[in-house]
Amino acid sequence: MQKALTSYFIIFLLFSSIINAQQPHKPNSVAIYNQIQKLSFLGSVLYIAAHPDDENTRLISYFSNETKARTAYLSLTRGDGGQNLIGPQLRELLGVIRTQELIEARKIDGSEQLFTRANDFGYSKNAEETVQIWDKEKVLSDIVFAIRKFQPDIIINRFDHRTSGNTHGHHSASAILSAESFNKTNDPKVFPEQLSLVKPWQTKRQFFNPSWWFYGSQAKFDAADKTNFISMQTGVYYTATGKSNQEIAALSRSCHQSQGFGSTGNRGEETEYLELINGELPKDKANVFDGIDTTWNRVNGGKPIGEMLSKIAAEFDFINPSASIPDLVKAYSMIQSLDDNHWKTLKSEEIKNVIAACAGLYLEAVAQNQEATPGSLIKLKLEAINRSPIEMQLLSVTTLPDQKNTIQNVVLKNNILQNSSIDLQLPSTIEFTQPYWLKDKGTEGMYTVPDQKNIGIPDVIREAKVVFNINIKEIEIPFERIVVYKYNDDVKGEMYNYLDVVPEVTTSILDKVSLFKDNKKKYIGVKIKAGKEAVKGDLQLELPNSWIVQPKSIPFNLDKKGLEQTLYFEVTPPNSQEEAIAQSVAIIDGKRYDKEQITIDFDHITKQQVLKPSESKFIRLDLKTNNQRIGYIMGAGDEVPNSLMQMGYKVTLLNPEEISPEKMANFDMVITGIRAYNTLQALANKQNILFDFVKGGKTMLVQYNTPNDLVTENIAPFPMKISRDRVTEENAEVRFLAPNHPVLNSPNKITAKDFQGWKQEQGLYYPNTFDKAFTPILSSNDKGETPKNGALLIAPYGKGYYIYTGLSLFRELPEGISGAYKLLANIISLQNPVTITAEKVKP
């Protein structure tokens, strides 16, 4: 019988085949052995950067799986400011997606995930602007708190703290604040309010993780002074699983699906470099932990525990992992007597997971429904099975948060399933399930998290749990499980979700922007959903007095949980132009329910519930439009088609494969969505048809694309090169280069005021060189920069117009920015360019 293997093993494969993110993990012998090895290593590494997908997964995987260090990635933001390649979610909803993608990535590379309260407010060109918008002291406080809590021996920065302005401002700021924190974390006078939860901590060494692209070229990197560098060979091959470290890293990075970061794994030798920026270089440059005790000897009373765990690893039986359970239980008991709460807490959880894995101990608490309201009595089905010859007894189960302990006294015999039922009483005060950082209103740069202990927690905080108290070898061990809901899908099989606590009723205004082009009334739909059985009350649509809403309220009666109904209000806008926020509210027994339930459900992440105020922006705008028929080619995903329909246009979504001269004859205009020429390979073979469409007297509008990975270089009928130019200051002055051009005058007069109040940015990836056939319409720039003239380019082509814009219409239209609607209406109205004489400005 095989007793041991000599090579190191990794844990990631036990996650790679899971189709549903919530499905329980069922480790094999190789993964269990890897966990036992990690029990004996008491060193830790914290990697710090700004965004999801900034992390170096090759290095993180190496430390976690080869070195066996406790490893974590501290992402200062949750990535709200990025784009989304898999759906229309932007801002905080995108941040929720990217948070979950990071959590899934960490499951693969075997590390942990941390955050600060910093909000990714969008691209920033320097660190000074970034820390001003973020609130430097709060983000610095969060970094210090994370370090004190995690207690890393080694900190590694992804970015260089000495080069502010050379990269994204968030990148530089993450490194600057990390470097500043190094000597603050051990000072009890710095952020003393944290010390009731954590203690001062001094990290041994801090590094910058450079590579050739930080230097501009491989030649420059090769020539750089590497006196303070250490290097590591991270191209490890793990024979037990048949994967290289780079392949694991690629699987981890590929979790960032919303950003299109699917990666191909490499094989062979690979070197990573670390440049010391704080602390002392290790004497042994081949060992980043040199001089740091990473054994159990660093813990008072830990030596015998280390000896016991070494014995367990040496005698581990891959055919019969349960043989290790008696000694593992002894080690668990020894850990409980430690005074060091940090390592006691961490290693207690780790060793419990190992014990459960060695025993094939499966424990589960399943709710009958996926949603429940506060105060509900939930019926739970409990499953407990011990698949080992080791004697065990389920003593009791404790439900949380009601703290009810129910005696069981059930012997868990080998491979004999034990099913039972139990009630969980949810308190009436239990929090709704939602990302805790979105509960309270934040600022442009910071989320609001009132409770210090919650700052940095990566995931949704779920309170509904069951603790299985099990006696093994006369030692009582509690195993905690989050309450789940599961069902069978005919295609995917067993599917899991967590139990969500929801309001008794939620409402949603169907259109997030309602545009009134005149003073005629509109019917506004509001969807109402029951969170429990037998919900009745009155629905109201609240607006300022200048807007007339009829009726004042509408009664509803939903007799079944989950039932939805759409009710309609007649809304008459004011005569003059005005903007207002409408809110839908359900009144039940005098209590207001004003939340909208948003569900985010993708296969690669855990299903998410977000609760936001049920609001919509109403705009009374004297907007002039025509009756053009528009074909819209969706790219990476946006909500522009909804905005076009609000403007009164007839919009048809077009698949690129459908594009033909006959099909295009049905439209007056074609619009490509954001990054269409980055994501739709079929467009490469449709350009001639689209250009002929324009030449015949129609209009084509192409929204922004990135310069890399274009499916064709010929995205325009004239030469044009997309750059990385952008204007990130959303209220930067806009200058009109062609003030007499129809796009600024007909049918709506465009003024500088129409560019005020834009969100996050004016635009991105502007062309910086373009043919003289193009007329540049707008010019603007961030402070201290040269003018950028490529925001809106218009070229007559044949009898029609070809238009390219980097303006962030995909952000502004769903936000209800009036000027964006006016400008888009004018773009759509452009016709018969051969009769127009427009001012020309050289690019």
Side-chain angles (χ1 to χ4, degrees), residues 34 68 71 74 78 135 137 144 235 268 349 355 371 389 414 439 441 515 625 632 673 679-680 698 718 734 778 792:
N34 180 75
K68 307 301 179 187
T71 310
L74 173 60
R78 295 177 184 266
D135 190 329
E137 282 303 299
V144 169
E349 288 304 309
I355 292 169
E371 297 181 345
N414 186 8
K439 180 185 174 186
K441 186 175 178 60
L515 182 64
T625 60
Y632 197 93
T679 60
L680 301 177
K698 305 297 180 68
F718 305 106
V734 176
L778 308 171
L792 180 60

Side-chain angles (χ1 to χ4, degrees), residues 274-308:
L274 300 178
E275 178 187 3
L276 186 76
I277 58 175
N278 277 307
E280 295 183 357
L281 271 174
K283 293 179 181 179
D284 179 4
K285 286 193 174 184
N287 179 13
V288 71
F289 282 100
D290 182 48
I292 301 172
D293 190 352
T294 59
T295 72
W296 275 93
N297 293 336
R298 75 185 295 172
V299 178
N300 185 28
K303 184 177 180 181
I305 299 173
E307 292 171 348
M308 174 65 75

Side-chain angles (χ1 to χ4, degrees), residues 18-36:
I18 294 174
I19 191 172
N20 187 261
Q22 300 94 315
Q23 205 163 20
H25 305 143
K26 302 168 186 175
N28 56 31
S29 293
V30 170
I32 295 170
Y33 182 67
N34 180 75
Q35 291 174 334
I36 291 173

Side-chain angles (χ1 to χ4, degrees), residues 126-167:
N126 60 75
E128 292 74 22
E129 178 197 45
T130 296
V131 296
Q132 181 179 4
I133 295 175
W134 272 354
D135 190 329
K136 175 184 175 181
E137 282 303 299
K138 288 183 179 178
V139 179
L140 181 62
S141 169
D142 290 358
I143 294 172
V144 169
F145 184 63
I147 293 170
R148 287 172 171 173
K149 187 176 181 181
F150 189 78
Q151 297 187 13
D153 300 303
I154 307 294
I155 291 175
I156 302 173
N157 296 339
R158 182 52 169 156
F159 300 102
D160 193 344
H161 66 290
R162 300 158 295 194
T163 57
S164 177
N166 290 359
T167 181

Side-chain angles (χ1 to χ4, degrees), residues 488-614:
N488 184 73
D489 182 278
D490 289 343
V491 175
K492 299 176 182 178
E494 188 177 56
M495 301 293 291
Y496 279 77
N497 286 313
Y498 290 118
L499 173 71
D500 284 340
V501 181
V502 304
E504 291 184 13
V505 66
T506 53
T507 69
S508 173
I509 304 173
L510 297 185
D511 293 314
K512 298 312 169 191
V513 174
S514 286
L515 182 64
F516 296 77
K517 297 189 293 181
D518 48 39
N519 60 1
K520 294 180 180 178
K521 64 185 178 184
K522 274 190 175 184
Y523 287 94
I524 303 299
V526 179
K527 183 174 68 176
I528 185 164
K529 178 183 177 182
K532 67 174 188 177
E533 304 288 317
V535 175
K536 64 179 180 178
D538 294 291
L539 180 66
Q540 298 177 356
L541 183 64
E542 298 179 346
L543 275 161
N545 292 335
S546 53
W547 298 72
I548 300 173
V549 180
Q550 294 291 339
K552 296 296 184 184
S553 66
I554 303 175
F556 64 86
N557 189 347
L558 304 174
D559 58 350
K560 295 293 183 182
K561 179 179 180 178
L563 190 63
E564 296 180 353
Q565 183 180 6
T566 300
L567 304 174
Y568 289 87
F569 293 87
E570 181 184 282
V571 176
T572 304
N575 290 324
S576 58
Q577 297 192 134
E578 182 180 318
E579 297 182 358
I581 299 298
Q583 183 170 37
S584 58
V585 180
I587 309 294
I588 302 176
D589 297 329
K591 185 176 180 180
R592 291 169 57 92
Y593 293 87
D594 58 1
K595 299 299 183 186
E596 174 183 5
Q597 181 189 49
I598 300 171
T599 299
I600 300 174
D601 195 4
F602 295 99
D603 281 346
H604 70 299
I605 61 174
T606 297
K607 180 181 177 182
Q608 298 292 295
Q609 170 182 268
V610 180
L611 298 174
K612 295 177 63 178
S614 182

